Coordinates of all heavy atoms in Angstrom, one line a residue:
M1 N 11.6 18.7 31.5 CA 11.6 18.4 30.1 C 12.5 17.3 29.8 O 13.7 17.2 30.2 CB 12.0 19.7 29.3 CG 12.0 19.5 27.8 SD 12.2 21.0 26.9 CE 13.9 21.3 27.0
T2 N 12.1 16.4 28.9 CA 12.9 15.2 28.5 C 13.3 15.5 27.0 O 12.5 15.9 26.2 CB 12.1 13.9 28.6 OG1 11.7 13.7 29.9 CG2 12.9 12.8 28.1
Q3 N 14.6 15.3 26.7 CA 15.1 15.5 25.4 C 15.9 14.3 25.0 O 16.6 13.7 25.8 CB 15.9 16.8 25.4 CG 16.5 17.1 24.0 CD 17.4 18.3 24.1 OE1 17.2 19.1 24.9 NE2 18.2 18.5 23.1
M4 N 15.9 14.0 23.7 CA 16.8 12.9 23.2 C 17.5 13.5 22.0 O 16.9 14.0 21.1 CB 16.0 11.7 22.8 CG 16.9 10.6 22.3 SD 15.9 9.1 22.0 CE 17.2 8.1 21.3
D5 N 18.8 13.4 22.0 CA 19.6 13.9 20.9 C 19.4 12.9 19.8 O 19.2 11.7 20.0 CB 21.1 14.0 21.3 CG 21.3 15.0 22.3 OD1 20.6 16.0 22.4 OD2 22.3 14.9 23.1
N6 N 19.6 13.3 18.5 CA 19.4 12.5 17.4 C 20.6 11.6 17.2 O 21.7 12.0 17.1 CB 19.2 13.3 16.1 CG 17.9 14.1 16.1 OD1 16.9 13.7 16.7 ND2 18.0 15.3 15.6
I7 N 20.3 10.3 17.1 CA 21.3 9.3 16.8 C 20.6 8.0 16.4 O 19.5 7.7 16.8 CB 22.2 9.0 18.1 CG1 23.3 8.0 17.7 CG2 21.3 8.4 19.2 CD1 24.3 7.9 18.8
S8 N 21.2 7.3 15.5 CA 20.7 6.0 15.0 C 21.8 5.0 15.3 O 23.0 5.2 15.0 CB 20.4 6.0 13.5 OG 19.3 6.8 13.3
V9 N 21.4 3.9 16.0 CA 22.4 2.8 16.3 C 21.7 1.5 15.9 O 20.5 1.3 16.2 CB 22.7 2.8 17.8 CG1 23.6 1.7 18.2 CG2 23.3 4.1 18.3
T10 N 22.5 0.6 15.3 CA 22.0 -0.7 14.9 C 22.9 -1.7 15.5 O 24.1 -1.6 15.4 CB 21.9 -0.9 13.4 OG1 21.1 0.1 12.9 CG2 21.4 -2.2 13.1
S11 N 22.4 -2.6 16.3 CA 23.1 -3.7 16.8 C 22.2 -4.9 17.1 O 21.0 -4.7 17.3 CB 23.8 -3.2 18.2 OG 24.5 -4.3 18.8
H12 N 22.8 -6.1 17.1 CA 22.0 -7.3 17.4 C 22.2 -7.6 18.9 O 23.4 -7.8 19.3 CB 22.5 -8.4 16.5 CG 22.1 -8.2 15.1 ND1 20.8 -8.6 14.6 CD2 22.7 -7.7 14.0 CE1 20.8 -8.3 13.3 NE2 21.9 -7.7 13.0
L13 N 21.1 -7.8 19.6 CA 21.2 -8.3 21.0 C 21.5 -9.8 20.9 O 20.9 -10.5 20.1 CB 19.9 -8.0 21.7 CG 19.6 -6.5 22.0 CD1 18.3 -6.4 22.8 CD2 20.7 -5.9 22.9
K14 N 22.4 -10.2 21.7 CA 22.7 -11.7 21.8 C 22.4 -12.1 23.3 O 22.2 -11.3 24.2 CB 24.1 -11.9 21.4 CG 24.4 -11.5 20.0 CD 25.9 -11.8 19.7 CE 26.1 -11.4 18.2 NZ 27.5 -11.6 17.8
V15 N 22.5 -13.4 23.4 CA 22.2 -14.0 24.7 C 23.1 -13.4 25.8 O 22.7 -13.2 26.9 CB 22.3 -15.6 24.7 CG1 22.2 -16.2 26.0 CG2 21.3 -16.1 23.7
D16 N 24.4 -13.2 25.4 CA 25.3 -12.7 26.4 C 25.4 -11.1 26.5 O 26.4 -10.6 27.1 CB 26.7 -13.3 26.1 CG 27.3 -12.9 24.7 OD1 26.5 -12.4 23.9 OD2 28.5 -13.1 24.5
T17 N 24.5 -10.4 25.9 CA 24.4 -9.0 26.0 C 24.3 -8.6 27.5 O 23.5 -9.2 28.2 CB 23.3 -8.4 25.2 OG1 23.5 -8.7 23.8 CG2 23.2 -6.9 25.3
R18 N 25.1 -7.7 27.9 CA 25.1 -7.2 29.3 C 24.4 -5.9 29.5 O 24.5 -5.0 28.6 CB 26.5 -7.2 29.8 CG 27.3 -8.5 29.8 CD 28.8 -8.4 30.0 NE 29.5 -7.4 29.1 CZ 29.8 -7.7 27.8 NH1 29.5 -8.8 27.3 NH2 30.5 -6.8 27.1
T19 N 23.8 -5.7 30.6 CA 23.2 -4.4 31.0 C 23.8 -4.0 32.3 O 24.1 -4.8 33.2 CB 21.7 -4.4 31.0 OG1 21.3 -5.4 31.9 CG2 21.1 -4.8 29.6
R20 N 23.9 -2.7 32.5 CA 24.4 -2.2 33.8 C 23.7 -0.8 34.1 O 23.6 0.0 33.2 CB 25.9 -2.0 33.7 CG 26.5 -1.5 35.0 CD 28.0 -1.5 34.9 NE 28.4 -1.1 33.5 CZ 29.6 -0.5 33.3 NH1 30.4 -0.2 34.2 NH2 29.9 -0.1 32.1
V21 N 23.2 -0.7 35.3 CA 22.6 0.6 35.7 C 23.5 1.2 36.8 O 23.9 0.5 37.8 CB 21.2 0.4 36.3 CG1 20.7 1.7 36.8 CG2 20.3 -0.1 35.2
T22 N 23.9 2.5 36.6 CA 24.8 3.2 37.6 C 24.1 4.5 37.9 O 23.8 5.3 37.0 CB 26.2 3.4 37.0 OG1 26.7 2.2 36.5 CG2 27.1 4.0 38.1
A23 N 24.0 4.8 39.2 CA 23.4 6.0 39.7 C 24.5 7.0 39.9 O 25.6 6.7 40.5 CB 22.6 5.8 40.9
F24 N 24.3 8.3 39.5 CA 25.2 9.4 39.8 C 24.4 10.4 40.5 O 23.8 11.3 39.9 CB 25.8 9.9 38.4 CG 26.7 9.0 37.7 CD1 26.1 8.1 36.8 CD2 28.0 8.9 37.9 CE1 26.9 7.1 36.1 CE2 28.8 8.0 37.3 CZ 28.3 7.1 36.4
P25 N 24.4 10.3 41.9 CA 23.5 11.1 42.7 C 24.0 12.5 43.0 O 23.5 13.1 44.0 CB 23.3 10.2 43.9 CG 24.6 9.5 44.1 CD 25.1 9.3 42.6
G26 N 24.9 13.1 42.3 CA 25.4 14.4 42.6 C 24.3 15.4 42.8 O 23.2 15.3 42.3
R27 N 24.6 16.4 43.6 CA 23.5 17.4 44.0 C 23.2 18.3 42.8 O 22.0 18.7 42.6 CB 24.0 18.3 45.1 CG 24.1 17.5 46.4 CD 24.5 18.4 47.5 NE 24.5 17.7 48.8 CZ 24.3 18.2 49.9 NH1 24.0 19.5 50.0 NH2 24.3 17.5 51.0
A28 N 24.2 18.7 42.0 CA 23.9 19.6 40.9 C 23.0 19.1 39.8 O 22.1 19.7 39.4 CB 25.2 20.1 40.3
R29 N 23.4 17.9 39.3 CA 22.7 17.3 38.1 C 22.7 15.8 38.3 O 23.4 15.1 37.5 CB 23.3 17.7 36.8 CG 23.3 19.2 36.6 CD 23.9 19.6 35.3 NE 22.7 19.7 34.4 CZ 22.8 20.0 33.2 NH1 24.0 20.2 32.6 NH2 21.7 20.1 32.4
P30 N 21.9 15.2 39.2 CA 21.9 13.8 39.3 C 21.3 13.1 38.1 O 20.4 13.6 37.4 CB 21.0 13.5 40.5 CG 20.2 14.7 40.7 CD 21.0 15.9 40.1
F31 N 21.8 11.9 37.8 CA 21.3 11.1 36.6 C 21.7 9.7 36.8 O 22.4 9.3 37.7 CB 21.9 11.6 35.3 CG 23.4 11.4 35.1 CD1 23.9 10.3 34.4 CD2 24.3 12.3 35.7 CE1 25.2 10.1 34.3 CE2 25.7 12.1 35.5 CZ 26.2 11.0 34.8
V32 N 21.1 8.8 36.0 CA 21.3 7.4 36.0 C 21.8 7.0 34.6 O 21.3 7.5 33.6 CB 20.0 6.6 36.3 CG1 20.2 5.1 36.1 CG2 19.6 6.9 37.7
S33 N 22.8 6.2 34.6 CA 23.3 5.7 33.3 C 22.8 4.2 33.1 O 23.0 3.4 34.0 CB 24.9 5.7 33.3 OG 25.4 4.9 32.2
L34 N 22.2 3.9 32.0 CA 21.8 2.6 31.6 C 22.7 2.2 30.4 O 22.6 2.8 29.4 CB 20.3 2.5 31.2 CG 19.9 1.3 30.5 CD1 20.1 0.0 31.4 CD2 18.4 1.4 30.1
R35 N 23.5 1.2 30.6 CA 24.5 0.7 29.6 C 24.0 -0.7 29.1 O 23.7 -1.5 29.9 CB 25.9 0.6 30.1 CG 26.4 2.0 30.4 CD 27.9 1.9 30.8 NE 28.4 3.2 31.1 CZ 29.0 4.0 30.2 NH1 29.0 3.6 28.9 NH2 29.4 5.2 30.5
I36 N 24.1 -0.8 27.8 CA 23.8 -2.1 27.1 C 25.1 -2.4 26.4 O 25.5 -1.6 25.5 CB 22.6 -1.9 26.1 CG1 21.4 -1.4 26.9 CG2 22.3 -3.3 25.4 CD1 20.3 -0.9 25.9
E37 N 25.7 -3.5 26.7 CA 27.1 -3.8 26.2 C 27.1 -5.1 25.5 O 26.6 -6.1 26.1 CB 28.1 -3.8 27.4 CG 28.1 -2.5 28.2 CD 28.9 -2.7 29.5 OE1 29.2 -3.8 29.9 OE2 29.2 -1.6 30.1
G38 N 27.7 -5.1 24.3 CA 27.9 -6.4 23.6 C 29.3 -6.4 23.1 O 30.2 -5.7 23.6
D39 N 29.6 -7.4 22.2 CA 31.0 -7.5 21.8 C 31.5 -6.3 21.1 O 32.6 -5.9 21.3 CB 31.1 -8.7 20.8 CG 30.8 -10.1 21.5 OD1 31.1 -10.1 22.8 OD2 30.4 -11.0 20.9
A40 N 30.7 -5.7 20.2 CA 31.2 -4.7 19.3 C 30.6 -3.3 19.6 O 30.9 -2.4 18.9 CB 31.1 -5.1 17.9
V41 N 29.7 -3.3 20.5 CA 28.9 -2.0 20.7 C 28.6 -1.8 22.2 O 28.4 -2.8 23.0 CB 27.6 -2.0 19.9 CG1 26.6 -3.0 20.4 CG2 27.0 -0.6 19.9
E42 N 28.6 -0.6 22.6 CA 28.1 -0.2 23.9 C 27.3 1.0 23.8 O 27.6 2.0 23.2 CB 29.3 0.1 24.9 CG 28.9 0.5 26.2 CD 30.0 0.8 27.2 OE1 31.1 0.2 27.0 OE2 29.9 1.6 28.1
I43 N 26.0 0.9 24.3 CA 25.1 2.0 24.2 C 24.9 2.5 25.6 O 24.6 1.7 26.5 CB 23.7 1.5 23.6 CG1 23.9 1.0 22.2 CG2 22.7 2.7 23.7 CD1 22.7 0.2 21.7
A44 N 25.0 3.8 25.9 CA 24.8 4.4 27.2 C 23.6 5.4 27.1 O 23.7 6.3 26.3 CB 26.0 5.1 27.7
L45 N 22.6 5.1 27.8 CA 21.5 6.1 28.0 C 21.7 6.8 29.3 O 21.7 6.2 30.3 CB 20.1 5.3 27.9 CG 19.8 4.5 26.7 CD1 18.5 3.7 26.9 CD2 19.8 5.3 25.5
L46 N 21.8 8.1 29.2 CA 21.9 9.0 30.4 C 20.6 9.6 30.7 O 20.0 10.3 29.9 CB 23.0 10.1 30.1 CG 24.3 9.5 29.7 CD1 25.3 10.7 29.5 CD2 24.9 8.5 30.7
C47 N 20.0 9.2 31.8 CA 18.6 9.5 32.2 C 18.7 10.5 33.3 O 19.1 10.2 34.4 CB 17.9 8.3 32.6 SG 18.0 6.9 31.4
S48 N 18.2 11.8 33.0 CA 18.2 12.8 34.0 C 16.9 12.8 34.8 O 16.0 12.1 34.4 CB 18.5 14.2 33.4 OG 17.5 14.4 32.4
L49 N 16.9 13.6 35.9 CA 15.6 13.7 36.6 C 14.5 14.1 35.7 O 14.7 14.9 34.8 CB 15.8 14.7 37.7 CG 16.8 14.4 38.8 CD1 16.8 15.5 39.9 CD2 16.6 13.1 39.4
G50 N 13.3 13.5 35.9 CA 12.2 13.8 35.0 C 12.0 12.9 33.8 O 11.0 13.0 33.1
S51 N 13.0 12.0 33.6 CA 12.9 11.2 32.4 C 12.5 9.7 32.7 O 12.6 8.9 31.9 CB 14.2 11.2 31.6 OG 15.3 10.7 32.4
A52 N 12.0 9.5 33.9 CA 11.7 8.1 34.3 C 10.5 7.6 33.5 O 10.6 6.4 33.1 CB 11.3 8.1 35.8
D53 N 9.6 8.4 33.1 CA 8.5 7.9 32.3 C 9.0 7.5 30.9 O 8.5 6.5 30.3 CB 7.4 9.0 32.1 CG 6.5 9.1 33.4 OD1 6.5 8.1 34.2 OD2 5.8 10.1 33.5
A54 N 9.9 8.2 30.3 CA 10.5 7.8 29.0 C 11.2 6.5 29.1 O 11.1 5.6 28.2 CB 11.4 8.9 28.5
L55 N 11.9 6.3 30.2 CA 12.6 5.0 30.5 C 11.6 3.9 30.7 O 11.8 2.8 30.1 CB 13.5 5.2 31.7 CG 14.6 4.2 31.8 CD1 15.5 4.1 30.6 CD2 15.5 4.5 33.1
R56 N 10.5 4.2 31.4 CA 9.4 3.1 31.5 C 8.8 2.8 30.2 O 8.5 1.6 29.9 CB 8.4 3.6 32.5 CG 8.8 3.6 33.9 CD 7.6 3.9 34.8 NE 8.1 4.1 36.2 CZ 8.5 5.3 36.7 NH1 8.4 6.4 36.0 NH2 9.0 5.4 37.9
T57 N 8.6 3.8 29.3 CA 8.1 3.5 28.0 C 9.0 2.6 27.2 O 8.6 1.7 26.5 CB 7.8 4.8 27.2 OG1 6.9 5.6 28.0 CG2 7.3 4.6 25.8
L58 N 10.3 2.9 27.3 CA 11.3 2.1 26.6 C 11.3 0.6 27.2 O 11.3 -0.3 26.4 CB 12.7 2.7 26.8 CG 13.9 1.8 26.3 CD1 13.8 1.7 24.8 CD2 15.2 2.5 26.6
A59 N 11.1 0.5 28.5 CA 11.1 -0.8 29.1 C 9.8 -1.6 28.6 O 9.9 -2.8 28.4 CB 11.1 -0.7 30.6
T60 N 8.7 -0.9 28.5 CA 7.5 -1.5 28.0 C 7.6 -2.0 26.6 O 7.2 -3.1 26.2 CB 6.3 -0.5 28.1 OG1 6.1 -0.2 29.5 CG2 5.0 -1.1 27.6
A61 N 8.3 -1.2 25.7 CA 8.5 -1.5 24.3 C 9.4 -2.8 24.3 O 9.2 -3.7 23.5 CB 9.1 -0.4 23.5
A62 N 10.5 -2.8 25.1 CA 11.4 -3.9 25.1 C 10.7 -5.2 25.6 O 10.9 -6.3 25.0 CB 12.6 -3.6 26.1
S63 N 9.8 -5.1 26.5 CA 9.0 -6.2 27.0 C 8.1 -6.7 25.9 O 7.9 -7.9 25.7 CB 8.2 -5.9 28.3 OG 7.5 -7.0 28.8
E64 N 7.4 -5.8 25.2 CA 6.6 -6.2 24.0 C 7.4 -6.9 23.0 O 7.0 -7.9 22.4 CB 5.9 -5.0 23.5 CG 5.0 -5.3 22.3 CD 4.3 -4.0 21.8 OE1 4.2 -3.0 22.5 OE2 3.9 -4.0 20.6
A65 N 8.6 -6.4 22.7 CA 9.5 -7.0 21.7 C 9.9 -8.4 22.1 O 9.9 -9.3 21.3 CB 10.7 -6.2 21.4
A66 N 10.1 -8.6 23.4 CA 10.5 -9.9 23.9 C 9.3 -10.9 23.8 O 9.5 -12.1 23.4 CB 10.9 -9.8 25.4
A67 N 8.1 -10.5 24.1 CA 6.9 -11.3 23.9 C 6.7 -11.7 22.5 O 6.4 -12.8 22.2 CB 5.7 -10.6 24.5
T68 N 7.0 -10.7 21.6 CA 6.9 -11.0 20.1 C 7.9 -12.1 19.7 O 7.6 -13.0 18.9 CB 7.0 -9.7 19.3 OG1 6.0 -8.8 19.7 CG2 6.9 -10.0 17.8
L69 N 9.1 -11.9 20.2 CA 10.2 -12.9 19.9 C 9.8 -14.3 20.5 O 10.0 -15.3 19.8 CB 11.5 -12.5 20.5 CG 12.3 -11.5 19.7 CD1 13.5 -11.1 20.5 CD2 12.7 -12.1 18.4
D70 N 9.2 -14.3 21.7 CA 8.7 -15.6 22.2 C 7.7 -16.3 21.3 O 7.7 -17.5 21.0 CB 8.1 -15.4 23.6 CG 9.2 -15.1 24.7 OD1 10.4 -15.4 24.4 OD2 8.8 -14.6 25.7
A71 N 6.8 -15.5 20.8 CA 5.7 -16.0 19.9 C 6.3 -16.5 18.6 O 5.9 -17.5 18.1 CB 4.7 -14.9 19.6
L72 N 7.3 -15.7 18.0 CA 7.9 -16.1 16.8 C 8.7 -17.4 17.0 O 8.7 -18.3 16.1 CB 8.9 -15.0 16.3 CG 8.2 -13.8 15.8 CD1 9.3 -12.7 15.5 CD2 7.4 -14.0 14.5
T73 N 9.3 -17.6 18.2 CA 10.1 -18.8 18.5 C 9.1 -20.0 18.6 O 9.4 -21.1 18.0 CB 10.8 -18.6 19.8 OG1 11.7 -17.5 19.7 CG2 11.6 -19.9 20.2
A74 N 8.0 -19.8 19.2 CA 7.0 -20.8 19.3 C 6.4 -21.2 18.0 O 6.3 -22.4 17.6 CB 5.8 -20.4 20.3
D75 N 6.2 -20.2 17.1 CA 5.7 -20.5 15.8 C 6.7 -21.3 14.9 O 6.4 -22.2 14.2 CB 5.3 -19.2 15.0 CG 4.1 -18.5 15.6 OD1 3.3 -19.1 16.4 OD2 3.9 -17.3 15.2
A76 N 8.0 -20.9 15.1 CA 9.0 -21.6 14.3 C 9.2 -23.0 14.8 O 9.4 -23.9 14.0 CB 10.4 -20.8 14.5
A77 N 9.0 -23.2 16.1 CA 9.1 -24.6 16.7 C 8.0 -25.5 16.2 O 8.2 -26.7 15.9 CB 9.2 -24.5 18.2
E78 N 6.8 -24.9 16.1 CA 5.7 -25.6 15.6 C 5.8 -26.0 14.1 O 5.3 -27.0 13.6 CB 4.4 -24.8 15.8 CG 3.9 -24.7 17.2 CD 2.7 -23.8 17.3 OE1 2.1 -23.4 16.3 OE2 2.3 -23.5 18.5
G79 N 6.5 -25.1 13.3 CA 6.7 -25.4 11.9 C 7.7 -26.4 11.6 O 7.8 -26.9 10.5
V80 N 8.6 -26.7 12.5 CA 9.7 -27.7 12.3 C 9.1 -29.1 12.0 O 8.3 -29.5 12.8 CB 10.7 -27.7 13.5 CG1 11.7 -28.8 13.3 CG2 11.4 -26.4 13.6
G81 N 9.5 -29.7 10.9 CA 9.0 -31.0 10.7 C 7.6 -31.1 10.0 O 7.1 -32.2 9.8
H82 N 7.0 -30.0 9.7 CA 5.7 -30.0 9.1 C 5.7 -29.6 7.7 O 4.7 -29.3 7.1 CB 4.7 -29.0 9.9 CG 4.4 -29.4 11.3 ND1 3.7 -30.5 11.6 CD2 4.7 -28.8 12.5 CE1 3.6 -30.7 12.9 NE2 4.2 -29.6 13.5
E83 N 6.9 -29.7 7.1 CA 7.0 -29.3 5.6 C 6.9 -30.5 4.8 O 7.2 -31.6 5.0 CB 8.3 -28.5 5.4 CG 8.2 -27.2 6.1 CD 9.5 -26.4 5.9 OE1 10.3 -26.7 5.0 OE2 9.7 -25.5 6.6

């Protein structure tokens, strides 16, 4: 079973935002930590066994958001000088 505790976090990702994955392979309760670190915020996602699909869904959403940003950037570049 996958569970997420309730929390809301707002932060702006910047070019120098860092990510780090650390495995904790202990026998009793192995998990992986995914950290997203910026100047003023650090987000840690603790992923236990069985939550790989939820993490893949998050990765897919992040990839979609990146593609949308690429499209917005291209649209903004096309609009420069056309006013």
Side-chain angles (χ1 to χ4, degrees):
M1 177 169 81
T2 301
Q3 177 180 342
M4 181 174 178
D5 296 334
N6 293 325
I7 187 169
S8 293
V9 177
T10 302
S11 179
H12 290 273
L13 291 178
K14 297 181 181 179
V15 174
D16 61 347
T17 298
R18 299 167 307 280
T19 58
R20 180 175 40 151
V21 175
T22 307
F24 295 88
R27 289 183 179 211
R29 301 184 93 182
F31 67 97
V32 170
S33 168
L34 168 59
R35 293 186 178 272
I36 304 164
E37 303 169 346
D39 291 336
V41 68
E42 180 177 330
I43 299 168
L45 300 175
L46 304 180
C47 309
S48 59
L49 297 181
S51 62
D53 284 342
L55 198 55
R56 284 186 191 94
T57 299
L58 176 63
T60 299
S63 184
E64 180 180 336
T68 301
L69 279 174
D70 289 340
L72 291 172
T73 301
D75 289 348
E78 288 177 9
V80 173
H82 292 298
E83 294 180 16

